[in-house]
């Protein structure tokens, strides 16, 4: 699958890219919300992994925009967030996200969520047929 990774921390971005590629997926990278919106519209990824706290445009704002545009509305967005923030997901704009991964995130955390998304996408495609 094609995975868009959005993360302003360079080391995290590099790490997430390695993890995503180790699962046999293609990684597209963005470093803030603005880049994420641009990249998502251009590439139409299968899944987006979205950091919340970023400069320029944060992850919630970017998710809101992507979910309200026709071309990107159906792409699942997984929030990458610190544990404490997961407990506050409703306040965070829980409605804009399809899942959560708590940071620091390991290989399994990330690949499991991508697999889950792949399965639900396959089911949705089957139902349409
Ligand atoms: Mn960040």
């Amino acid at each position: 699958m094609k995975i868009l990774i959005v993360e302003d921390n360079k080391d995290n971005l590099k790490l997430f890219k390695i993890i995503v590629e180790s699962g046999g997926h293609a990684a597209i990278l963005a470093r803030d919300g603005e880049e994420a919106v641009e990249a998502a519209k251009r590439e139409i990824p299968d899944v987006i992994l979205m950091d919340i706290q970023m400069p320029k445009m944060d992850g919630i704002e970017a998710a809101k925009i992507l979910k309200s545009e026709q071309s990107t509305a159906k792409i699942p967005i997984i929030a990458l967030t610190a544990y404490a923030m997961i407990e506050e997901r409703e306040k965070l704009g829980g409605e804009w996200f399809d899942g959560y991964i708590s940071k620091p995130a390991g290989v399994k955390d990330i690949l499991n969520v991508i697999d889950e998304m792949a399965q639900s996408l396959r089911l949705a495609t089957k139902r349409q047929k």
Side-chain angles (χ1 to χ4, degrees):
M1 295 207 296
K2 208 199 286 188
I3 314 294
L4 172 59
I5 308 165
V6 190
E7 167 67 73
D8 63 313
N9 180 295
K10 267 188 201 165
D11 294 332
N12 279 344
L13 187 62
K14 216 182 271 177
L15 174 67
F16 294 149
K17 177 180 189 281
I18 291 169
I19 293 173
V20 162
E21 289 176 345
S22 78
H25 306 288
I28 305 156
L29 308 180
R31 289 162 301 180
D32 60 54
E34 286 178 8
E35 281 189 20
V37 171
E38 254 181 55
K41 286 184 186 170
R42 187 181 64 232
E43 304 275 351
I44 310 291
D46 298 296
V47 175
I48 300 173
L49 302 178
M50 180 84 80
D51 183 26
I52 298 294
Q53 287 171 318
M54 294 184 292
K56 288 194 219 171
M57 186 193 289
D58 69 22
I60 296 168
E61 194 57 39
K64 240 183 244 185
I65 291 173
L66 292 171
K67 289 294 187 186
S68 58
E69 301 224 358
Q70 212 185 354
S71 64
T72 53
K74 285 188 178 152
I75 304 171
I77 305 178
I78 311 302
L80 295 165
T81 177
Y83 179 68
M85 293 176 80
I86 289 186
E87 294 178 329
E88 294 186 86
R89 63 174 70 171
E90 307 312 323
K91 279 184 229 164
L92 254 179
E95 61 195 294
W96 308 110
F97 295 103
D98 301 274
Y100 290 82
I101 296 174
S102 58
K103 289 198 282 190
V107 178
K108 269 191 189 166
D109 302 318
I110 292 182
L111 294 182
N112 284 349
V113 169
I114 292 174
D115 279 349
E116 275 170 34
M117 290 298 140
Q119 273 175 20
S120 51
L121 288 175
R122 270 195 291 273
L123 286 176
T125 314
K126 261 187 205 164
R127 259 183 242 123
Q128 278 169 9
K129 279 178 189 166

